[in-house]
Amino acid sequence: MDNFSAAPDVDAVVIGAGFSGLYATKRLRDIGLAVRAFDAADGVGGVWTWNRYPGARTDSLHETYCFTFDKDLVNEWSYTEIHPGQAEVLEYLNLIADRFDLRRHYTLTTTVTSAVFDEATGLWNFLTDKGESLTAKYFVTGLGLVSAPILPNVPGLEEFEGEVYHTSRWPETPVEFDGKRVAVIGTGSSGVQFVSTVVDQARELTVFQRTPNWVAPTGNRPVTAQEIEEIRANHDEVCRLVRNHPAGWPWEMVDRKCVETPAEVREAMFEEAWEEGGFALLYKTFSDLSTDKAANDIVCAWMAKKIASIVEDPEIAKKLTPTHPYGAKRPPAADGYYQAFNKSHVRLVDIKEEPITGFTKKGIRTSQGEFEVDVIVMATGFDAITGAFTRMDIRGVGGKELNDHWSEGPLTYLGLGVAGFPNMFMVAGPQSPFANLPPGAQEQGNWIADLIVHMRENGIEFVQPTEQAEIEWTKHLTEVAESLMTRYGLEANSWFAGANIEGKPRAFNVYFGGHAAHTDLCAAEAAEGYPHFEKVAKVAELA
Ligand code: NAP
């Protein structure tokens, strides 16, 4: 069987125009490949084109929520806030597309519906929802972690006569809330940001909560000119810190244990970190909060007291207080979230006590009555990590369906490749680290480009991870997740573990060993000549 009996239309197809897809497109183009890239949105920006809801902002830090490969760009661009808002991140990604001439590769408003590997030609065949078909040798995904939204599985939504929005499909034209009765379903990162932002606009705000979250303040504020100058002057150090931090944060790891620290000292440290906001409480206080349940119980008890000190009604405070460990599910950040529940026009509905049974013409029906509202905001999250893959038809060698391969949860090697799916590479895919995204997107984009260069220089036409490598990676990833507070993710409905969706396989979808460990493993894999990959010259030689 000849390889490439038909010339491919392009060398590589990239899906996605967020951080991952844009950078992969750039790198593949820079190593000389002809690249076509697609995105379902009508502009570049990935998740930031869709998640335009009021209050949407990253809780990563401004100096790290960007690429670092171009020093000139680092010296020219800066965000204006510590935690950049949606519009500014979108502006940054548009700048990336323009500055590096990436738009010409992209076909927007176009969904790739299938990607099928053809053994006769050794090429990937793609179909789009616009009826285009094309072939490529390499297939690279930058599909995003949170791109496949979900809705509550209860009847009657079509009967509701008011407005309905999902936070991740927010219209470009502003939505007015003034004087309206607004319902929000969901209290994850999107829900708490939304609630904190619209609370003073809505006439009534009813929050439907399934699982409460530990919501830290953000600590957001404008970035000062002096800070920008310092970051630019010390940029190599910022990169070093990010490279070595498990979450890709520009912080040194602390080396002190909560359980060994006197109560008054640790409480002062918690208070300081709480004021700093975001992930400071988790990463800047103690090293054992994620590993030792006793330490985690201490920080949770402290936060529970904090919630009780903010929320005036003790019953409501109790309902807002999680029972899961801090970090068992992705902790959100928002300013004024708990304070919102002190306002007389804000109600909390605990849907574990009072389940939503359906939607009506006028609002939301629960087991105990009907809530009449003008607007329903679904902040109900995503079929995270794997959803964007399993909604596509992806088939590898022998017609093997990715959906079948992942029927019990994702199986990959390093989150970068899948056995039986040759020359398919994923950036920020399932089983890659859960960390600040841009540094990982840059590392992984570089790694994929380097592997393709290695293939070209060594007469290798096809690569795929071995099945054994996948099994070992999944075992390691599971052991790491089981050793951390993430092991409580199932009870906490965490999307980390597929537990936010009924019927989804329960498996850890992300790697919690950290950005630094993953980057080291990827570097070692490359340095050793990709020992966990099959590397062959002909399709027929693939195992
Ligand atoms: P999410 O964290 O999955 O939260 C969804 C919320 O909806 C949860 O409270 C969930 O309850 C609830 N829910 C889901 N299905 C429901 C149903 N049928 N009935 C009632 N409630 C339901 O989704 P998200 O808030 O959109 O955030 C997803 C991820 O995107 C975040 O974890 C984060 O990684 C990223 N994100 C980041 C930022 C940021 O950086 N600041 C902002 C937004 C999003 P359960 O908890 O019980 O499942």
Side-chain angles (χ1 to χ4, degrees):
M1 193 161 28
D2 285 344
N3 290 317
F4 313 124
S5 50
D9 294 320
V10 287
D11 296 316
V13 160
V14 175
I15 309 180
F19 278 99
S20 305
L22 285 172
Y23 189 66
T25 298
K26 178 189 181 306
R27 285 293 283 123
L28 297 188
R29 190 264 319 275
D30 290 353
I31 60 168
L33 301 190
V35 184
R36 283 281 305 274
F38 294 88
D39 197 289
D42 61 3
V44 301
V47 75
W48 298 102
T49 55
W50 300 103
N51 285 255
R52 296 169 176 270
Y53 61 87
R57 68 176 61 253
T58 177
D59 41 25
S60 292
L61 289 163
H62 66 111
E63 70 271 39
T64 66
Y65 205 64
C66 51
F67 294 119
T68 55
F69 63 86
D70 181 343
K71 278 277 175 333
D72 292 340
L73 179 60
V74 168
N75 288 326
E76 286 164 34
W77 166 269
S78 61
Y79 291 109
T80 60
E81 292 175 277
I82 294 285
H83 298 290
Q86 175 269 338
E88 226 182 358
V89 181
L90 193 58
E91 188 187 332
Y92 176 75
L93 289 167
N94 274 278
L95 171 70
I96 295 293
D98 289 331
R99 186 178 176 108
F100 300 104
D101 190 21
L102 300 175
R103 287 189 202 277
R104 67 189 164 88
H105 299 282
Y106 273 90
T107 304
L108 296 169
T109 333
T110 302
T111 300
V112 178
T113 52
S114 76
V116 177
F117 184 72
D118 179 353
E119 282 156 79
T121 59
L123 300 175
W124 282 94
N125 290 4
F126 301 90
L127 280 179
T128 76
D129 64 345
K130 298 291 186 304
E132 183 179 358
S133 64
L134 79 160
T135 56
K137 182 171 174 185
Y138 303 106
F139 170 27
V140 178
T141 66
L143 298 179
L145 282 64
V146 285
S147 51
I150 51 169
L151 291 172
N153 187 18
V154 289
L157 191 56
E158 59 296 341
E159 279 170 35
F160 178 60
E161 289 173 347
E163 302 160 63
V164 182
Y165 304 97
H166 193 290
T167 45
S168 76
R169 291 291 178 271
W170 204 262
E172 278 189 51
T173 43
V175 177
E176 288 299 326
F177 295 102
D178 283 4
K180 291 186 183 162
R181 297 164 304 171
V182 180
V184 184
I185 306 178
T187 54
S189 298
S190 307
V192 303
Q193 286 185 333
F194 178 83
V195 166
S196 310
T197 306
V198 303
V199 60
D200 291 326
Q201 297 164 34
R203 171 154 64 95
E204 284 175 15
L205 182 62
T206 309
V207 181
F208 292 83
Q209 168 191 278
R210 190 163 71 181
T211 310
N213 258 313
W214 298 112
V215 186
T218 67
N220 193 33
R221 59 171 175 79
V223 180
T224 66
Q226 192 188 340
E227 282 168 330
I228 294 170
E229 213 174 290
E230 279 168 16
I231 286 160
R232 288 178 181 161
N234 299 302
H235 195 248
D236 288 348
E237 176 61 3
V238 173
C239 293
R240 186 193 69 77
L241 289 166
V242 166
R243 165 66 177 78
N244 294 324
H245 191 277
W249 247 243
W251 296 336
E252 295 283 6
M253 284 304 285
V254 290
D255 183 21
R256 76 191 143 234
K257 291 202 155 97
C258 177
V259 291
E260 292 169 359
T261 306
E264 62 286 4
V265 176
R266 67 187 180 223
E267 293 201 358
M269 290 172 65
F270 288 151
E271 191 64 51
E272 193 184 330
W274 180 266
E275 284 307 311
E276 181 172 343
F279 282 89
L281 192 59
L282 194 59
Y283 291 123
K284 284 184 128 177
T285 54
F286 300 103
S287 56
D288 52 353
L289 299 184
S290 298
T291 53
D292 181 351
K293 179 71 167 46
N296 200 280
D297 286 347
I298 293 172
V299 72
C300 288
W302 183 85
M303 280 191 288
K305 263 202 299 186
K306 192 67 155 171
I307 297 169
S309 75
I310 300 171
V311 180
E312 288 155 11
D313 181 331
E315 271 308 302
I316 296 177
K318 198 168 161 213
K319 286 183 182 173
L320 286 168
T321 304
T323 52
H324 59 261
Y326 189 42
K329 64 193 297 178
R330 201 297 200 178
D335 294 316
Y337 178 67
Y338 294 120
Q339 288 82 347
F341 294 92
N342 292 334
K343 303 192 181 206
S344 58
H345 68 292
V346 179
R347 276 181 299 194
L348 179 69
V349 180
D350 181 341
I351 65 168
K352 280 194 171 140
E353 283 175 3
E354 185 182 347
I356 296 176
T357 52
F359 298 96
T360 65
K361 267 184 177 178
K362 295 195 165 161
I364 297 175
R365 196 177 47 236
T366 69
S367 60
Q368 291 176 32
E370 186 178 352
F371 292 82
E372 289 190 9
V373 294
D374 304 305
V375 186
I376 298 175
V377 173
M378 306 286 186
T380 40
F382 303 86
D383 183 355
I385 312 282
T386 51
F389 289 83
T390 54
R391 287 177 187 201
M392 270 178 78
D393 175 17
I394 302 179
R395 278 175 273 159
V397 174
K400 176 161 136 179
E401 292 184 23
L402 191 66
N403 271 331
D404 284 343
H405 192 56
W406 287 359
S407 61
E408 290 175 22
L411 276 172
T412 77
Y413 179 56
L414 293 172
L416 288 163
V418 183
F421 296 79
N423 297 354
M424 175 178 117
F425 306 110
M426 300 174 293
V427 183
Q431 299 192 331
S432 65
F434 185 67
N436 179 29
L437 197 126
Q442 190 174 304
E443 294 282 357
Q444 292 165 39
N446 287 340
W447 190 91
I448 292 165
D450 290 348
L451 170 54
I452 292 173
V453 169
H454 175 87
M455 291 170 72
R456 270 196 322 220
E457 288 173 353
N458 292 279
I460 300 164
E461 298 293 346
F462 303 97
V463 294
Q464 61 177 5
T466 64
E467 284 183 5
Q468 189 55 30
E470 269 190 354
I471 291 166
E472 280 166 20
W473 178 244
T474 306
K475 183 166 172 275
H476 167 64
L477 174 144
T478 307
E479 281 167 2
V480 171
E482 295 285 357
S483 72
L484 302 171
M485 291 306 121
T486 43
R487 68 178 175 271
Y488 297 98
L490 284 185
E491 304 149 35
N493 284 355
S494 172
W495 60 255
F496 287 161
N500 61 327
I501 297 183
E502 227 181 295
K504 184 164 175 170
R506 288 345 189 204
F508 292 105
N509 290 305
V510 279
Y511 178 53
F512 293 104
H515 166 73
H518 184 261
T519 304
D520 288 344
L521 286 166
C522 291
E525 182 71 21
E528 290 161 20
Y530 307 96
H532 295 91
F533 283 77
E534 271 185 69
K535 304 170 277 288
V536 300
K538 290 191 170 18
V539 182
E541 293 166 2
L542 288 168

